[in-house]
Amino acid sequence: MTRTATATRSGGRAARRALRTAPNFEMLPGLTRGIPLCEVMDGAQVERIDTASMDVLENVGVQFRDPIALQDWKKAGAKVEGELVYLDRGLVRELIATIPSDFTYHARDPKKNVRLGGKHSIFVPMTGAPFLRDLDNVRRNPMLDDLAMFHMLSHMLPAMHSSAHHIVEPYDHPISQRHLRITYSSMKHSDKTFMGMTTSPKNAEDVMDMCAILFGEDFLDDHPVTTGNCNGNSPLVWDETMLGAMRAFCRRNQPVLCSPFVLGGANTPASVPATVAQLNAEALSALAYTQVIRKGAPAIYGHYLSTVSMKSGAPMAGTPEISLMNFMIGQMARYYDVPWRTSNTLGGAKTFDAQAGYESATTLQAVIHAGANYIWHSAGWNEAGMHCSTAKFIVDAEQCAMAYRMAEGPKWHDFDQAVSAVGDIGPGGHYLGHPHTQDNFQEAFFMPDMFDNNSIEQWQAEGCVEITERALKHARKLLAEYQEPTLDIAKNEELLDYIARREREIPAADELNQAY
């Protein structure tokens, strides 16, 4: 090789190395899984769960505590007695058959559009925390600025494919008007897709109106841009608030998560297969109703899974049964050919300690191997969801990036070149200086930023910094480097005008807006 060629190659490699070590906030593409699924049921067991769930729908019934839904079901041909709806399995199968098996979320930045369903998955941060552990690791009530911080971090962390809505509750705004500021923060501080508030039917309509301002009404009608979550009240109840919000989203063709809220052994039988059978019946009843509202509307088989400690009654995370149920629910969702949602890095630890790490890692591995599509609560969750930890938010996101790399499967694109390096080095050598290693080391092996793998002597020399402190330092660095993805000026003004008008119309109150 000539000197010129050597210099060119060296310069190119140095440039690539510099590029690799520079800060990179570019979002990872939506995950396309390349590893096998873990399926713990055979075909006969899947059909056994299906049969049991359909028997529940036909003979036990599901309570729909909502007069509009009851009328809708009567028109659809279901048997309705009071608030109980008895669903014929043929009707259920006919309805859920019209749910799209996959679809694409459209973000404010089209480069951040992501596909969902089948082999396609996304990571979404946690929501709903009434407290946070902040940049000083202090547990306190959150404010709107804290919510904005988490939206900014979601925007910058590559493995987060979505922002969320109320990652933490902003206590400095009235509950009745809070959904407006939460939605605006989701839109303003990130150009990824996001979640929409479903805390009341009126609030959900406001979210849809704000999405129409941001994306355009016509665009909204045939492009998913946000996600609503509708929780069921296990066992076998759907209430007026959730059903009204579901109608607001489905009528505008926006996807909803149909999510039974499972506390295994408390509001389900003390049995893994029986719990899945009940949950499956609950999810199917809501999925079917989305198609009564609007045929072909995107919908996602959802759930929240926890088991209950028979010592204290407290919900538990990271247990073997939760993993088994995730495997089983994944099989049921694929049986019906619908996308499905799960919860990810959950934990009951009060601080970001070893318990938090073990619980979160156990669940993360399970949901990846279960083939979940909408992987919610992927960053920050701690203390059974009572607080969002800033430090854990950072580390969870890196764990998701590691899981993403694993789920892609082995990369074969440079196999021949890599094998040829064996002949170059021969017995007894090392590969650290080989051109293939220099060009491919970072892509070949994931190198976590939040884990310290140095010797104890070096760790001590650098101040004995543990992972919580490292993560908080990294969060401060990210926030210092944050650049807001600026909203279109006209749309921003229209959104602010809409918020101002709705805040005049909705009385400031410490209760949900149900009437205005």
Side-chain angles (χ1 to χ4, degrees), residues 9 13 17 20 418 421-422 424-426 428-442 444-445 447:
R9 180 169 183 177
R13 192 156 58 242
R17 190 181 302 117
R20 285 193 296 264
V422 178
D424 294 340
I425 299 301
H430 69 78
Y431 293 81
L432 296 176
H434 192 278
H436 179 271
T437 303
Q438 293 293 309
D439 289 343
N440 292 280
F441 75 95
Q442 191 161 8
F445 305 112
M447 293 187 291

Side-chain angles (χ1 to χ4, degrees), residues 64-67 69 197-205 229-231 233 238-249 512-514:
F64 281 77
R65 296 177 178 171
D66 175 60
M197 299 291 288
T198 53
T199 41
S200 79
K202 296 290 187 183
N203 290 356
E205 291 287 357
N229 179 59
C230 296
N231 282 323
N233 299 322
W238 292 95
D239 67 31
E240 185 175 19
T241 297
M242 291 289 93
L243 293 169
M246 183 183 292
R247 285 191 292 271
F249 273 68
L512 293 177
N513 168 39
Q514 298 280 14

Side-chain angles (χ1 to χ4, degrees), residues 214-289:
L214 184 61
F215 292 97
E217 186 67 60
D218 292 342
F219 188 89
L220 199 67
D221 191 58
D222 55 8
H223 294 84
V225 301
T226 188
T227 311
N229 179 59
C230 296
N231 282 323
N233 299 322
S234 299
L236 301 166
V237 174
W238 292 95
D239 67 31
E240 185 175 19
T241 297
M242 291 289 93
L243 293 169
M246 183 183 292
R247 285 191 292 271
F249 273 68
C250 290
R251 285 170 180 164
R252 307 286 269 275
N253 208 35
Q254 296 304 302
V256 290
L257 312 174
C258 300
S259 302
F261 195 91
V262 167
L263 301 170
N267 62 6
T268 72
S271 155
V272 166
T275 292
V276 172
Q278 177 190 304
L279 180 157
N280 190 57
E282 294 166 336
L284 288 174
S285 66
L287 288 166
Y289 184 55

Side-chain angles (χ1 to χ4, degrees), residues 452 454-470 473:
D452 187 299
N454 295 323
S455 68
I456 189 168
E457 291 81 7
Q458 185 172 348
W459 178 72
Q460 290 170 335
E462 293 175 354
C464 304
V465 178
E466 295 192 353
I467 193 165
T468 298
E469 186 178 344
R470 278 199 303 277
K473 181 180 178 181

